[in-house]
Amino acid sequence: MQRRSVTRYKSGKALLKALSDNPALAEFVPRLPVGGLKRLVEEVGLADAGELIVYATSNQLFELIDEAVWQVTAPGAPESFTEEAFCAWMATLLDVGDEFAVRHFVGLDDDLVLLAMMRLLFVADLSARVLDPSDDEAFELLDSTALNKELYGNFEVTPRSDQHWDTVQRLLAALHTLEPAFLEVALRRCCLPETMLRYRAEHSVAGDAQGAHQLRRTAAGYLASEIAGDFLRSARESDMSQLLEADAYDLDTAYYFSRARRHALESSLAGTDAPKRLGQASPDSNSSGDENSSRDENSSKDENLSSDEYAGTDEHSPSSGFSPAGEDDMAALQTIVTDLEMAAMAGAVPLLGGASDTDDAGAGRLRRALGELADAQPAALQQRMAELAYLSNVLMTGVWLEDQRLNHSEAVAAVTAVCSLGLERAPQIDLAHEPGLVGVFRVGWHILQTVPDRVIDALEVWLSDPQVAASLGLRNWIVEDLRGALSGGEFIADVAGQAYEEVHNVLKMFGLILQQPAVDHLCLLVDHLPTTVAVADAHRLAQRRRFIQSAREIEQIEAFVANLDRWRRAPGGD
């Protein structure tokens, strides 16, 4: 069977040219699932994505922005609003055009808009406030010497930070020109009654915005951090026999895809998830402005920010004068998106093009199996790609890599490596059917999570060798201290509880007798997501981190720990 050829693009600009040169792009983008559009935006780069998002529907952009501006700051922690991501998206919308930016800004969730404005701006209602020199807050807001200050009707606005002021100022000016009533209502909501403290109102809005975001994400099938942790813990603690015999998704995964399918069906029938919005309209409205889009001046006094009067339009939607796209053009665009998904896996770990056809390791099997699905069962491949996205989300929300959240590329790399490890152990799993990549991932994760214990056991064996203590001479007390630390109840509890920051503090004590690269390697191996480095020769460790994807690598790790003598510091050396 002829192998599928994955198209490569040298840069985001080359990809963007391939997309923009296709006459079907205007009709293709509104039909594209949000995940596929997100992949295109990431590959092109948000700053250059205007030529793509100009054709996106209001709901597509809302979901993209809603996902981008909420980020997890720690495993298991709730997502928090990020001003930098919000302003980056606003800058891109404004680059497309003021009308485009305003139309989609007023279509965002009510609380999200208010939270963004409260985080970015100080707002004072001059008509409702009599300045008192003893009022520190009034002095801060209305100081006549402020360098950055704008007046919109009765509202004086100053930035909380100058970092994003250019973008925010452009957005406010566009709103003031195109949606003055909307802006007035929003600014009034940012001003607090005299009897309230500012931080209380902001805290309340932040809680409402975060809660609404979590409800939307859950309805769409996304995972909360605690659910991701449960999935990973289940794979780690389940018996291997159960993982090998599984012929269906685990309960967490089945629930996820069930919710995702229901969300897709409800969205296709209703056309919208109907979030609470400043300007609610039909998500794919194609009407250009007419007499119905005029604003009632009295509406500026209405504090209900969810009023339908702020409805926007999608003037770039497919029915706005574009000719129907040819099937070949649409297929070419779909091929680009599919190839990007395949290339993401191939680029993260050499699975689809890096291993030889005779390679019997898990990586080779996974590469061949996915290649065969691409040719023979594209529907099955599509589900495997959905599983890849799901598993990547699990790792991004459920684990740390060196005390930081994994980015998308790292998560894809980690997932494919874990799946390679699992498929090598369980080649009988058929990737054409459920549980697919989820099944081999759970097997691989179970194996990978044994690495920290294997390393610690090997360390204890190495320290028990009398020659290690003898080689230290008068410093042989170090060996007893290290053995005591490894066997101590607190250390054992930290390992069992995956409190790896404390575990690393103990491992760093090995720096008393081992060279620093070896100590660093030990910390990589004993972590939430164990990783390794290439052993270049007998006396040097390559510093480039690699995800573990084969049993052979685990054997090399055990050999590394068993032969730590080669990494011992010279007497009196650094």
Side-chain angles (χ1 to χ4, degrees), residues 82-356:
T82 306
E83 292 90 341
E84 290 77 7
F86 182 85
C87 290
W89 264 99
M90 293 304 104
T92 299
L93 297 183
L94 287 164
D95 287 343
V96 175
D98 287 358
E99 292 185 5
F100 181 85
V102 167
R103 179 186 316 117
H104 293 291
F105 179 80
V106 302
L108 296 178
D109 180 78
D110 183 331
D111 293 316
L112 178 60
V113 168
L114 293 175
L115 177 60
M117 296 182 74
M118 286 182 172
R119 290 283 179 85
L120 294 166
L121 301 170
F122 289 112
V123 182
D125 186 351
L126 302 183
S127 65
R129 194 166 207 165
V130 177
L131 292 184
D132 181 349
S134 64
D135 187 342
D136 293 335
E137 184 182 18
F139 182 79
E140 178 183 15
L141 292 173
L142 307 175
D143 182 6
S144 61
T145 63
L147 295 178
N148 295 323
K149 182 168 57 176
E150 297 289 344
L151 190 64
Y152 300 102
N154 293 321
F155 298 94
E156 188 171 70
V157 174
T158 56
R160 288 178 178 259
S161 169
D162 292 337
Q163 183 178 1
H164 306 293
W165 179 236
D166 289 344
T167 297
V168 175
Q169 190 177 37
R170 289 173 58 196
L171 180 61
L172 291 174
L175 287 167
H176 184 59
T177 301
L178 299 171
E179 293 282 359
F182 173 93
L183 180 61
E184 181 179 352
V185 173
L187 292 176
R188 181 179 295 113
R189 285 284 300 274
C190 290
C191 298
L192 302 181
E194 295 291 339
T195 57
M196 297 181 65
L197 294 177
R198 182 173 300 277
Y199 80 90
R200 289 182 179 172
E202 182 180 326
H203 179 76
S204 176
V205 171
D208 291 343
Q210 183 183 50
H213 166 75
Q214 290 176 341
L215 287 174
R216 288 190 297 269
R217 298 281 284 177
T218 300
Y222 288 94
L223 292 176
S225 296
E226 56 271 24
I227 297 178
D230 289 342
F231 171 85
L232 295 172
R233 186 162 40 254
S234 172
R236 183 178 75 247
E237 297 176 356
S238 296
D239 292 335
M240 177 60 79
S241 59
Q242 294 178 329
L243 298 176
L244 294 175
E245 295 171 2
D247 58 0
Y249 289 141
D250 59 281
L251 292 179
D252 289 327
T253 303
Y255 179 72
Y256 166 86
F257 282 113
S258 174
R259 291 295 297 267
R261 286 191 293 269
R262 185 168 65 183
H263 170 74
L265 178 60
E266 291 174 349
S267 296
S268 65
L269 294 176
T272 178
D273 295 327
K276 186 175 65 170
R277 291 183 176 178
L278 291 146
Q280 183 63 52
S282 174
D284 298 328
S285 173
N286 300 319
S287 61
S288 56
D290 55 21
E291 66 275 9
N292 294 326
S293 65
S294 61
R295 304 293 184 253
D296 183 351
E297 292 181 359
N298 294 328
S299 67
S300 64
K301 305 301 181 182
D302 184 4
E303 300 238 355
N304 179 8
L305 296 189
S306 298
S307 172
D308 289 346
E309 68 174 345
Y310 294 116
T313 60
D314 284 344
E315 63 185 21
H316 294 285
S317 57
S319 60
S320 300
F322 289 105
S323 300
E327 292 184 4
D328 291 343
D329 293 328
M330 295 288 282
L333 289 170
Q334 183 58 58
T335 297
I336 290 177
V337 176
T338 301
D339 283 351
L340 285 174
E341 292 174 335
M342 298 282 286
M345 298 182 70
V349 177
L351 298 179
L352 304 180
S356 66

Side-chain angles (χ1 to χ4, degrees), residues 250-504:
D250 59 281
L251 292 179
D252 289 327
T253 303
Y255 179 72
Y256 166 86
F257 282 113
S258 174
R259 291 295 297 267
R261 286 191 293 269
R262 185 168 65 183
H263 170 74
L265 178 60
E266 291 174 349
S267 296
S268 65
L269 294 176
T272 178
D273 295 327
K276 186 175 65 170
R277 291 183 176 178
L278 291 146
Q280 183 63 52
S282 174
D284 298 328
S285 173
N286 300 319
S287 61
S288 56
D290 55 21
E291 66 275 9
N292 294 326
S293 65
S294 61
R295 304 293 184 253
D296 183 351
E297 292 181 359
N298 294 328
S299 67
S300 64
K301 305 301 181 182
D302 184 4
E303 300 238 355
N304 179 8
L305 296 189
S306 298
S307 172
D308 289 346
E309 68 174 345
Y310 294 116
T313 60
D314 284 344
E315 63 185 21
H316 294 285
S317 57
S319 60
S320 300
F322 289 105
S323 300
E327 292 184 4
D328 291 343
D329 293 328
M330 295 288 282
L333 289 170
Q334 183 58 58
T335 297
I336 290 177
V337 176
T338 301
D339 283 351
L340 285 174
E341 292 174 335
M342 298 282 286
M345 298 182 70
V349 177
L351 298 179
L352 304 180
S356 66
D357 289 337
T358 59
D359 184 5
D360 290 330
R365 288 194 181 93
L366 186 56
R367 176 185 61 82
R368 291 193 296 273
L370 293 176
E372 291 171 359
L373 287 182
D375 291 329
Q377 301 185 59
L381 176 65
Q382 184 177 8
Q383 181 60 21
R384 301 296 82 80
M385 293 300 100
E387 292 166 359
L388 172 65
Y390 162 72
L391 294 169
S392 298
N393 189 35
V394 165
L395 292 188
M396 284 191 290
T397 58
V399 302
W400 273 133
L401 185 64
E402 292 188 334
D403 299 327
Q404 291 185 356
R405 180 187 179 188
L406 278 74
N407 61 36
H408 180 266
S409 297
E410 290 171 334
V412 172
V415 168
T416 50
V418 173
C419 288
S420 298
L421 183 62
L423 191 59
E424 182 184 34
R425 174 64 177 82
Q428 73 276 11
I429 295 180
D430 184 2
L431 293 185
H433 302 96
E434 185 179 318
L437 287 180
V438 174
V440 295
F441 178 92
R442 284 167 58 82
V443 172
W445 187 256
H446 181 91
I447 296 171
L448 187 64
Q449 292 298 297
T450 66
V451 169
D453 287 336
R454 295 188 191 195
V455 170
I456 293 170
D457 290 344
L459 279 175
E460 291 179 332
V461 171
W462 179 70
L463 289 173
S464 299
D465 186 345
Q467 294 184 2
V468 175
S471 67
L472 294 175
L474 295 177
R475 302 174 69 219
N476 58 12
W477 56 269
I478 295 176
V479 171
E480 290 303 318
D481 283 358
L482 290 175
R483 291 180 63 185
L486 293 183
S487 60
E490 185 175 349
F491 179 81
I492 294 174
D494 286 339
V495 173
Q498 293 189 303
Y500 287 120
E501 183 175 355
E502 288 76 13
V503 171
H504 289 172

Side-chain angles (χ1 to χ4, degrees), residues 401-402 452 455 459 500-501 503-510 516-532 545 560:
L401 185 64
E402 292 188 334
V455 170
L459 279 175
Y500 287 120
E501 183 175 355
V503 171
H504 289 172
N505 289 335
V506 174
L507 294 180
K508 289 174 183 176
M509 294 170 57
F510 279 83
Q516 192 59 44
V519 177
D520 293 340
H521 193 191
L522 291 174
C523 290
L524 291 179
L525 294 169
V526 183
D527 207 349
H528 293 97
L529 178 59
T531 55
T532 187
R545 181 180 60 212
F560 158 76

